[in-house]
Amino acid sequence: MAPNPDLRASDADRDRVAANLREHCAVGRITVEEMNERLDLVYEARTLGQLQAVTHDLPEEDLHQLPVPAAQGNSTASVAPRPSGGDLYRRGGRAMWGTWAVVSGINLTVWLIIALTGHVVYPWWLWVAGPWGALILLGSLLGPKRHG
């Protein structure tokens, strides 16, 4: 169901339509002159119906990013499910471990290069890798658990 065309358009609505027009121009659906004419109409528009008239002959893009119109209610049939908190934490945990591994590997490599040149070098890289790794491990063990 389309939103009521008599509803007043917000600045965000006008900005969204203007951005879509720029994208249509960038991919060659409309010319620069036509885009400028339509942009004038967009910023003069007072209702959603006037905004729709500006883009009626252009395909809609990225519909999943558009807000649910007020006339549609709270229907979630076409909305993708959001990941649960546990899933987000697990993804963040993998990123933390990956970052730790890269930084620790760089520090270890620098330390090895210095040590191989014949200098006696204290294993300072352990002071970076150890506490940081311990905190990530603690967070992984005590973090949110997945239920279900």
Side-chain angles (χ1 to χ4, degrees):
M1 173 187 253
N4 183 349
D6 296 327
L7 288 176
R8 298 290 286 210
S10 68
D11 287 339
D13 294 325
R14 284 184 279 277
D15 290 342
R16 179 178 42 81
V17 172
N20 285 341
L21 285 173
R22 289 183 191 98
E23 183 63 31
H24 288 299
C25 182
V27 297
R29 288 192 186 101
I30 58 176
T31 65
V32 174
E33 294 81 23
E34 190 176 6
M35 179 191 67
N36 287 331
E37 291 170 8
R38 291 181 187 222
L39 284 174
D40 290 339
L41 294 172
V42 165
Y43 289 114
E44 292 171 1
R46 291 188 177 169
T47 66
L48 293 178
Q50 290 171 326
L51 288 177
Q52 289 172 344
V54 173
T55 59
H56 74 280
D57 61 335
L58 297 171
E60 293 184 27
E61 295 182 359
D62 296 342
L63 293 176
H64 65 280
Q65 293 180 354
L66 297 177
V68 176
Q72 232 176 351
N74 292 334
S75 173
T76 58
S78 64
V79 177
R82 294 181 67 186
S84 69
D87 292 338
L88 290 173
Y89 184 80
R90 265 190 296 287
R91 263 189 264 151
R94 280 185 286 221
M96 286 187 288
W97 280 114
T99 304
W100 174 85
V102 168
V103 171
S104 296
I106 291 170
N107 282 305
L108 177 61
T109 302
V110 169
W111 179 80
L112 282 173
I113 291 170
I114 294 170
L116 291 175
T117 60
H119 296 88
V120 177
V121 180
Y122 178 77
W124 53 267
W125 65 274
L126 290 173
W127 287 105
V128 176
W132 188 9
L135 286 174
I136 297 173
L137 179 63
L138 193 64
S140 296
L141 295 175
L142 301 178
K145 302 291 182 218
R146 185 174 187 172
H147 300 288

